Amino acid sequence: MKYTQMLIPTLKEVPSDAEAVSHVLMLRGGYVRQLASGLYIYMPLFLRVLNRVNGIIRQEMNRIGAQEVSMPVLHPAEIWQKTGRWYEIKEEMFRLKDRTGRDMCLAMTHEEIMTWLASREIRSYRDMPQTWYQIQTKLRDEARPKSGVLRTREFIMKDSYSFDVDEEALEKSYNLHIEAYDKIFSRCGLAFYRVESDPGMMGGATAHEYMAPSPAGEDEVAICANCGYSANVELAISVSPAGDPVEMAYEDAHTPGKRTIGEVSAFLDLSPDKFIKSLLLISSDGPVLALIRGDQQLHENKTARIIGTFRPAQREEVKELLGVEAGFIGPMGHKVRVIADEVLKTSTYVSGANRSDYHTKGVKPAVHFTAEWFDLHKAQENDGCPKCAAKLKIVKVIEIGNIFKLGTKYSAPLKAIYLDKEGIEKPIIMGSYGIGPARIAAAAIEQSNDKNGIIWPAPIAPFDVEILPLNMSDEEVKGVSLRLYDELTSMGMEVLLDDRDERAGVKFKDADLIGIPYHVVVGTKNVKEGVVEIKKRATGETEKVPMEKIAEFFRQRPGTGKPGRI
RNA sequence: CGGGGCGUAGCGCAGCCUGGAUAGCGCACCUGCCUUGGGAGCAGGGGGCCGGAGGUUCAAAUCCUCUCGCCCCGACCA
């Protein structure tokens, strides 16, 4: 492809709307343009990247026996009503009516429709296993689209669905997906984790997420470098390191206006782990007082599993229910339900004194207060691993894929039923599996860039090589470049020829920005000596290569190595 | 949905607080010359509903009210 025939509108300046590195570089490199909040136009270069990513996905999905299909994006409400999600999902679903007034919605995902198909076409145990996938548009009216292409309202997703006769067979389908996903992300050049994830409302079902470490990520995972334990912090278990026990007499301390742990801790010159943080929560069953050690955070999911959905109490509610001003709550002597994190079971602490401007020292569990004990804290850096007790680290990550065991959640309501060997009707056992190709691309940029621009992993780069004729008015330079272009193209390489009548500096800058793995620089002086320069984008190393050896050079260099699962 | 920020040329911004004449700068763009190994130089030129509506005022990019849009933090996220 010739540069002059392609739309590659690079930007010299950083667009003010972009924050995440991948967002900035995609905009600057002319890969994407924003249409509205959460809606992006994929420009020619980006589409090339996505096509390569999708090509890898297709290969690996096909390899595990999955079949590609294509589902509508406009759905009748009825099917979603049958599974209940029409009612469960709120504003996140785009809804509309057709001309006859029939309720419709836009696809957020395709469990319903895939299951609908299965319910009609799968009748016997002999028809399974089946795995169907598509690379299809999804629409979600996100509360907050962000970070460029990372969180959008319309996006493409590879989603696959497995249909099996029983749990054991599902296990096989699930493992095949693990196999495929490990290969896909490795081949795309990403460093990634496969972590336990929260199956949400799926009850006992298992789920994993594929996570690419990046500061632009929205999720956090807890990782144990020692035994390999890894989980989304949404459900990670961790052992809180015990603080040094300090003996304190049971007495009140005057702490005027000091409400937060930080303030009181500084005021009394005691580290935060010597405090009990008392949080008043309002659950559907009434108020609950949750106790957490001062240096820790309340884990909302864990808490919700114990007391159901809840919200923090307002200031006035605290006063009403406990008779204490917010900021001075202590665990002693309240009539509400009290739940506490297990780490507080021992030692001695400081807590609110249940009266304004005072905290109480020397508070001991069992002696001064009682509670129901649970694991309530969020895993944090340097907590102990629940499996081996080594220290956990917390890493920010981008979710690039997930795999779920669904069981019969969709097959039951949609009556996707088959007859087993004994002629008994049984619901099909399902799994669903997603990958976000645009997120793969964004994560690749997040993980691989420098101050000059993108450094694409070779397998997903928009082109394999870019040829830079430094002076298009020099006939020899031009001629050599065109010849190399033809030669490399005929070898099956994807080649971008920067045939613009631009100065050398401009071409170098744009080439670095766009991030194609190899640059073949054709300059006047070198051409006279019969050589061109090959620059490796990743390292900046250059090498002079005789023109007749170029083909050979690239023949010996298949895709570069990649990080893979960590 | 709560909190914060920002809307002025294609992009990045200044001007606004303290109202006043033809709204300014850099980049990009067009023409010509020149230049050709890291975003050149000179000369000339085009491009603005100052997000929108209403109000205050002799006078509004500037002050006030409403509204729309975008970004960030939080909540939410099959």
Side-chain angles (χ1 to χ4, degrees):
Chain A
M1 186 65 70
K2 288 176 182 159
Y3 204 117
T4 52
Q5 295 168 347
M6 233 183 140
L7 178 63
I8 311 177
T10 57
L11 265 24
K12 211 181 284 189
E13 284 172 291
V14 180
S16 60
D17 278 355
E19 191 109 329
V21 178
S22 56
H23 190 194
V24 170
L25 292 177
M26 278 191 200
L27 250 15
R28 286 197 54 211
Y31 283 83
V32 297
R33 286 295 182 263
Q34 185 177 29
L35 174 65
S37 182
L39 296 175
Y40 282 84
I41 293 165
Y42 296 167
M43 307 278 277
L45 276 184
F46 196 53
L47 201 55
R48 283 181 158 262
V49 172
L50 287 178
N51 284 340
R52 283 199 154 174
V53 169
N54 291 343
I56 291 170
I57 291 174
R58 285 198 172 92
Q59 277 186 11
E60 298 301 338
M61 291 309 295
N62 293 344
R63 203 188 305 239
I64 62 167
Q67 306 155 73
E68 187 167 8
V69 297
S70 180
M71 295 272 159
V73 163
L74 181 62
H75 302 171
E78 200 188 352
I79 304 179
W80 286 80
Q81 286 164 350
K82 280 189 179 147
T83 61
R85 287 161 112 189
W86 177 265
Y87 310 104
E88 279 164 32
I89 298 166
K90 297 157 292 168
E91 293 163 315
E92 208 185 336
M93 181 186 273
F94 283 107
R95 294 166 212 252
L96 63 158
K97 286 183 196 294
D98 71 9
R99 64 165 91 192
T100 68
R102 186 186 192 192
D103 280 321
M104 313 282 288
C105 64
L106 300 180
M108 300 180 63
T109 173
H110 283 81
E111 275 83 10
E112 273 79 0
I113 311 306
M114 287 277 184
T115 311
W116 180 89
L117 214 217
S119 74
R120 299 179 63 104
E121 310 304 337
I122 297 178
R123 302 191 174 91
S124 157
Y125 70 93
R126 292 175 206 273
D127 298 331
M128 289 180 278
Q130 288 282 334
T131 297
W132 304 335
Y133 78 97
Q134 59 175 348
I135 297 177
Q136 180 63 290
T137 300
K138 312 283 182 230
L139 294 118
R140 297 179 189 177
D141 198 355
E142 287 287 348
R144 184 145 94 85
K146 57 184 284 201
S147 308
V149 115
L150 279 178
R151 190 167 200 80
T152 55
R153 297 193 292 175
E154 173 174 335
F155 58 98
I156 294 171
M157 180 168 159
K158 185 292 300 178
D159 49 325
S160 47
Y161 304 84
S162 63
F163 303 92
D164 285 293
V165 294
D166 57 21
E167 288 291 336
E168 199 183 324
L170 168 61
E171 184 70 22
K172 268 186 208 150
S173 294
Y174 194 82
N175 288 334
L176 283 174
H177 274 87
I178 287 182
E179 210 176 280
Y181 276 34
D182 283 357
K183 281 192 193 140
I184 289 166
F185 298 124
S186 299
R187 286 183 61 188
C188 288
L190 292 178
F192 64 94
Y193 298 107
R194 183 177 69 230
V195 308
E196 288 175 31
S197 76
D198 189 346
M201 291 155 221
M202 307 303 311
T206 356
H208 286 86
E209 286 165 329
Y210 282 79
M211 302 292 213
S214 155
E218 297 183 274
D219 287 287
E220 287 181 330
V221 294
I223 302 291
C224 175
N226 184 43
C227 75
Y229 173 78
S230 59
N232 194 314
V233 289
E234 295 296 318
L235 83 166
I237 303 167
S238 74
V239 180
S240 318
D244 307 321
V246 176
E247 274 313 311
M248 293 177 272
Y250 186 71
E251 61 182 13
D252 282 3
H254 189 51
T255 52
K258 312 294 180 202
R259 292 163 187 277
T260 66
I261 294 289
E263 287 164 1
V264 189
S265 155
F267 185 75
L268 296 179
D269 195 23
L270 275 170
S271 58
D273 61 297
K274 303 294 183 299
F275 289 79
I276 293 176
K277 202 181 331 187
S278 311
L279 303 164
L280 186 64
L281 311 174
I282 308 295
S283 78
S284 44
D285 298 329
V288 177
L289 191 64
L291 309 179
I292 289 289
R293 199 170 69 187
D295 62 326
Q296 298 188 326
Q297 301 285 319
L298 182 73
H299 192 132
E300 299 189 3
N301 288 1
K302 288 178 181 174
T303 308
R305 260 169 242 148
I306 298 160
I307 65 170
T309 50
F310 68 91
R311 60 172 175 86
Q314 320 260 320
R315 243 157 215 279
E316 308 81 64
E317 288 175 311
V318 173
K319 198 139 203 184
E320 248 170 68
L321 294 161
L322 303 179
V324 187
E325 204 182 322
F328 301 100
I329 311 174
M332 303 77 81
H334 296 295
K335 289 192 199 77
V336 302
R337 181 178 182 191
V338 181
I339 58 174
D341 187 73
E342 279 155 352
V343 74
L344 296 174
K345 242 178 177 166
T346 55
S347 195
T348 307
Y349 299 93
V350 179
S351 79
N354 288 325
R355 58 173 170 137
S356 296
D357 295 333
Y358 282 91
H359 279 75
T360 305
K361 291 173 149 185
V363 176
K364 287 186 199 306
V367 178
H368 302 113
F369 70 94
T370 54
E372 300 167 53
W373 302 98
F374 295 101
D375 174 7
L376 290 183
H377 65 273
K378 207 165 171 178
Q380 54 191 16
E381 188 89 14
N382 293 328
D383 275 2
C385 168
K387 295 214 168 130
C388 76
K391 282 184 177 175
L392 290 177
K393 61 180 175 163
I394 306 293
V395 184
K396 276 209 144 198
V397 293
I398 296 168
E399 181 186 349
I400 47 176
N402 56 44
I403 54 180
F404 274 91
K405 288 186 184 173
L406 295 175
T408 61
K409 174 163 183 177
Y410 299 94
S411 54
L414 289 169
K415 306 207 168 36
I417 285 164
Y418 72 98
L419 288 184
D420 73 3
K421 276 183 185 159
E422 277 77 45
I424 298 170
E425 284 196 341
K426 287 190 173 156
I428 295 171
I429 309 297
M430 293 176 54
S432 88
Y433 317 86
I435 290 181
R439 283 188 173 184
I440 290 182
I445 296 175
E446 290 286 337
Q447 292 184 354
S448 178
N449 66 78
D450 62 19
K451 67 176 191 318
N452 296 315
I454 300 170
I455 303 171
W456 285 111
I460 63 171
F463 288 93
D464 300 311
V465 203
E466 176 170 352
I467 299 174
L468 308 183
L470 294 187
N471 184 353
M472 283 303 284
S473 48
D474 180 326
E475 286 306 321
E476 215 177 334
V477 166
K478 193 171 166 184
V480 166
S481 301
L482 284 168
R483 238 179 298 131
L484 282 175
Y485 174 76
D486 288 339
E487 189 178 2
L488 295 176
T489 302
S490 67
M491 282 169 63
M493 296 186 77
E494 294 283 348
V495 187
L496 178 65
L497 172 65
D498 191 347
D499 59 337
R500 293 176 300 169
D501 187 17
E502 286 286 357
R503 298 169 59 84
V506 174
K507 295 192 179 188
F508 285 133
K509 289 290 184 189
D510 278 340
D512 285 346
L513 215 206
I514 291 166
I516 293 164
Y518 287 98
H519 301 167
V520 174
V521 181
V522 184
T524 312
K525 219 173 122 198
N526 282 336
V527 160
K528 288 204 166 56
E529 292 164 15
V531 299
V532 296
E533 197 173 84
I534 297 183
K535 173 178 155 184
K536 205 173 168 195
R537 173 65 182 91
T539 59
E541 306 166 84
T542 60
E543 192 177 329
K544 282 189 184 176
V545 180
M547 274 177 259
E548 64 280 6
K549 295 248 171 87
I550 300 293
E552 194 185 329
F553 177 95
F554 283 111
R555 243 192 294 277
Q556 287 170 354
R557 250 158 267 249
T560 49
K562 43 245 148 186
R565 186 162 164 238
I566 48 178

